[in-house]
Amino acid sequence: MIEAALSAPRDYPNPETLRYLYTATRLAIQKLTPIVAAQVETAAPGPERASRERAVDEADAIMREGLSPSSLAASLTVSALGRALLGLHHFAGGEA
């Protein structure tokens, strides 16, 4: 799913596939964000904590984006969701 979301601007999926990727990545982000946010709370100050904070902040920001009726804009949003999910997935240890 992450790979498909990341490649959406290049592959230009049909609207149905974009809606599926949009919904699926959002659900996965909703699941992983609390896990990584909890890691932030218990991490010592430093680069690892800052990286986790950035991943949570980026995920929160892209979650505010709706799915545009424009295929190109929707593909870009789905790709951004995929990047946010990839970051959270990395820190959550593959939980998804």
Side-chain angles (χ1 to χ4, degrees), residues 61-86:
I62 193 59
M63 289 291 282
R64 290 191 287 272
E65 295 289 321
L67 191 62
S68 173
S70 159
S71 293
L72 177 58
S75 293
L76 293 171
T77 298
V78 166
S79 182
L81 285 164
R83 283 190 305 277
L85 178 56
L86 182 62

Side-chain angles (χ1 to χ4, degrees), residues 8-65:
R10 181 188 69 231
D11 296 343
Y12 218 56
N14 64 50
E16 182 179 305
T17 301
L18 282 171
R19 283 190 299 276
Y20 167 77
L21 289 170
Y22 176 80
T23 302
T25 54
R26 288 177 59 85
L27 289 172
I29 287 170
Q30 289 172 341
K31 179 181 176 185
L32 295 181
T33 298
I35 294 168
V36 179
Q39 293 172 352
V40 169
E41 295 301 317
T42 60
E48 283 296 314
R49 180 182 179 149
S51 294
R52 284 173 169 78
E53 283 178 319
R54 192 173 318 108
V56 170
D57 290 345
E58 289 172 3
D60 287 343
I62 193 59
M63 289 291 282
R64 290 191 287 272
E65 295 289 321

